Amino acid sequence: MKNICELLKIKYPVIQGGMANIADHRLASAVSNSGGLGVIAAGGNTPEWVRKEIRKCRENTPHNFGVNIMLMSPYAGEIAQVVIEEKVPVVITGAGNPSPYIKAWKQAGIIVIPVIPSVALAKRMERAGADAVVAEGTEAGGHIGELTTMALIPQVANAVKIPVIAAGGIADKRGVVAAFALGAIGVQVGTVILTSEECPIHVNYKARIIEAKDTDTIVTGRKTGAPVRVLKNIMAREYLKLSEAGASLEELEKLTLGSLKKAVIDGDLDRGSFMAGQISGLIKEIKPLKQIFEEMFLDAEPYKDSLRIL
Ligand code: TUI
């Protein structure tokens, strides 16, 4: 099946990006109620938290939704079980290889969509039984791979038979049409959803994205093996300086401890970690999710077939 809207039972071919510490049941249900696939981000939260959020999400939307499991979390294995017990319809994974869990998820009837940064991983996911992959370019916010969306999507589309969903640098209709042209059948977006009216983050976070220009993100953590794209601020610059000076992993972790919550909850412009993609500079208005999706997909669908070379 190539139609992601049929597969996921959604109106628009758009999946909400994971976004740890941000995407709880409030955002996930709002996205699903607006025609996309809303996603609860497990992030580093406990299995109990994830279970409660799944139940609350069900109370708030009659539509399909997913859970994003961040595989670097110490709770990933337990959460992999929670999504089965709670009969979550869609599981998306990030920041690791979900192969050990896929068989059990498929047996439970779950639609499995790993986020991958390379062709090799896409092929491995297809072999392991994934239903689709999200191919995420380095333009994305948060934890990222090396390849750009432009280079990654057509190579992944040529390498696998399962549907490819594009992510990284997409925030408007031009991005959607470009993704279709590159061989994707849908998109995953994060940054533009951060600026939606419904997104439950501090107003300062939204304002930073709205005010950002094209060159306002940088990547921390390249040296430690966990590159993360954030908006430039005092903390990010300090991190890079310390890292350049050869600081230990411990020192660097101390600097960033709790920094995502400082951004999301406190709106601490200096010491918060404001994860956001390179497309931040394109987003100039806070809008309701419905309007964001309507504008992204208005007359965009015909391009999926007309530009498809495969
Ligand atoms: O996962 C993301 N984005 C994220 S996760 C996150 S929470 C976090 N915070 C600080 C440090 C690290 C994580 C914030 N943003 N995007 C999907 C993604 N997956 N990007 C890259 C990957 C990936 C990387 C390696 C997927 C698989 C992979 O496999 C390696 C292997 O084990 O073979």
Side-chain angles (χ1 to χ4, degrees), residues 253-266:
E253 274 178 358
K254 216 166 108 190
L255 181 73
T256 54
L257 196 70
S259 62
L260 190 51
K261 283 196 173 134
K262 280 184 199 160
V264 174
I265 295 162
D266 309 333

Side-chain angles (χ1 to χ4, degrees), residues 20 70 72 94-97 115 117 121 124 136 141-145 228 275:
M70 206 276 282
M72 277 162 67
N97 180 353
V115 180
L121 260 165
R124 230 186 289 165
E136 186 183 274
H143 181 54
I144 48 168
V228 173
M275 294 187 188

Side-chain angles (χ1 to χ4, degrees), residues 173 177 180-181 299-308:
K173 181 173 158 174
V177 171
F180 289 159
D299 299 330
E301 289 274 338
Y303 287 96
K304 198 159 56 185
D305 300 316
S306 67
L307 290 174
R308 210 175 164 82

